[in-house]
Amino acid sequence: MTHTPDLPRRQVLRSALAATALSAPLLNENAAHAFPRPPRIGSLGDQSAVRTFALGDVRLTYVVDAAMELDTAGFLPAVPAAYWREHPEALAPSGRISASAGGVLVERGGRRLMVDAGLGANVLSPALGVSQGGALPHTLRALGVSPASVDTVAFTHLHTDHTGLGFLRGRDRELRKAFPRADYLVADAEWGPFWRGEIKVGAPSWEGFMLPMSRVLRRFDDGDEVWPGVTALITPGHSPGHTTYVIAASEGRRILVLGDAFHTPAQLTHPEWPSGPDVDVEGVLKARETLLTQLLAPRTYAFAFHFGDQAFGRVVRDSANGVRWRPVPARELLPSPVHLT
């Protein structure tokens, strides 16, 4: 079995991350001239555009890789059918749930972090929905972002729609890191069960991801700083070591990258509604309780991979519904790069 080295503790990691930044220009230095459209809010029922959102000294850009539509009954069996009839705006014209996939590019101080790597050539089970991916490299090129300029790739969890383009085959057919200079990070609590073959639901390819990942990964624990100003919050349930990343910004603000603790805004209002692929329903309900406390704190924003074209927003209290998702305007850099056929 391949040895997988542990990530050094916080002090060692912080020192390593303080190394000289890569020289590639940041997206936010060029985008304003190339893409003058003002920020706006998209529609929940649409696939996500490639959008960017600045919060103080940090910028997040959704690098969209895939279009997915989730079957309401197959993927979210706990959600009453009446809910969808009462909220048609939450659905695509097909009657399914729009749920893009990709990676979120985090930029600050001359550094680049990528959280997750999209769906790639993987496809959803027909019982769960329909999908088409593989656009992430094209999206990066369109943005003028070289994969070699990304210094860290951190995974929220090891499902196929978040790991799909972590590795690519070269002309020699050998698998190599899609981000060649980056450290690849995953929670120790996530890696172990997948590596031992205990988790089947959503697991990535053994040959295409797990084996090459085993040779390069660095592992971390709950509370570790994985990148300057980015802390890991382990939120198990959807998967054993599912991780939310808490990104500190200037002036006391922060933004949480949510992964798959929530697949649709309806689950913020109704956290008792699990998702079909959750491996531990009790665990994910506890994780949501933790996350809602965090999300309702002042000056807190969130990024959600699968919230249609409303990936950036805040969780707010609502006298009628308890809490709800309030999307915030985010600048559209490119239209959605993938359309389901």
Side-chain angles (χ1 to χ4, degrees):
M1 183 172 292
T2 305
H3 174 65
T4 58
D6 288 333
L7 183 70
R9 287 294 148 248
R10 186 176 304 181
Q11 293 82 359
V12 178
L13 178 58
R14 185 179 291 124
S15 298
L17 289 173
T20 302
L22 294 166
S23 60
L26 292 184
L27 173 67
N28 59 348
E29 293 175 349
N30 304 313
H33 301 290
F35 305 100
R37 299 171 184 167
R40 71 174 184 87
I41 295 172
S43 298
L44 185 58
D46 290 338
Q47 297 294 326
S48 184
V50 177
R51 294 188 182 276
T52 190
F53 177 72
L55 188 66
D57 61 342
V58 66
R59 177 179 293 277
L60 283 78
T61 303
Y62 193 6
V63 184
V64 177
D65 168 68
M68 303 192 301
E69 288 187 357
L70 310 179
D71 185 84
T72 55
F75 201 98
L76 296 172
V79 179
Y83 176 85
W84 304 116
R85 291 195 297 271
E86 295 165 4
H87 296 275
E89 76 284 354
L91 299 175
S94 65
R96 294 184 290 255
I97 302 160
S98 291
S100 299
V104 59
L105 181 68
V106 183
E107 298 178 287
R108 176 166 48 200
R111 304 285 302 274
R112 282 176 168 155
L113 160 71
M114 181 72 79
V115 179
D116 288 348
L119 180 74
N122 300 311
V123 293
L124 288 177
S125 163
L128 299 179
V130 296
S131 61
Q132 185 172 333
L136 190 142
H138 168 79
T139 304
L140 286 171
R141 285 195 299 271
L143 294 172
V145 175
S146 167
S149 71
V150 175
D151 59 72
T152 305
V153 176
F155 293 97
T156 60
H157 62 297
L158 299 181
H159 283 172
T160 55
D161 58 322
H162 294 259
T163 59
L165 286 163
F167 297 89
L168 297 174
R169 291 194 185 276
R171 292 181 179 178
D172 59 2
R173 305 304 297 162
E174 292 294 321
L175 280 166
R176 294 181 176 86
K177 292 189 296 185
F179 302 90
R181 299 182 183 176
D183 290 328
Y184 274 38
L185 312 183
V186 67
D188 184 61
E190 181 78 353
W191 177 257
F194 278 91
W195 181 245
R196 294 189 296 269
E198 298 168 6
I199 305 300
K200 305 298 183 185
V201 176
S205 164
W206 188 260
E207 297 290 336
F209 182 86
M210 293 299 293
L211 282 179
M213 183 70 172
S214 73
R215 302 181 185 112
V216 301
L217 91 160
R218 302 173 69 185
R219 293 177 285 182
F220 58 80
D221 292 323
D222 185 46
D224 283 351
E225 185 179 58
V226 300
W227 198 74
V230 179
T231 303
L233 174 62
I234 307 297
T235 47
H238 180 64
S239 64
H242 180 278
T243 303
T244 298
Y245 293 103
V246 182
I247 303 171
S250 57
E251 300 179 359
R253 291 170 290 186
R254 61 184 187 156
I255 183 165
L256 276 61
V257 176
L258 292 178
D260 279 3
F262 303 94
H263 285 96
T264 176
Q267 293 171 320
L268 293 162
T269 305
H270 295 278
E272 72 277 12
W273 291 346
S275 300
D278 294 340
V279 298
D280 176 5
V281 170
E282 290 302 316
V284 83
L285 298 184
K286 181 182 287 188
R288 289 177 182 176
E289 182 178 351
T290 297
L291 285 169
L292 285 170
T293 299
Q294 296 272 346
L295 291 165
L296 287 165
R299 307 177 74 78
T300 299
Y301 296 76
F303 169 85
F305 283 95
H306 303 317
F307 282 18
D309 196 16
Q310 297 183 352
F312 295 98
R314 303 187 69 179
V315 178
V316 298
R317 294 194 182 278
D318 186 313
S319 57
N321 299 311
V323 300
R324 64 179 177 87
W325 181 245
R326 178 186 289 170
V328 296
R331 187 180 300 276
E332 179 181 338
L333 304 181
L334 299 165
S336 178
V338 182
H339 301 280
L340 293 169
T341 55

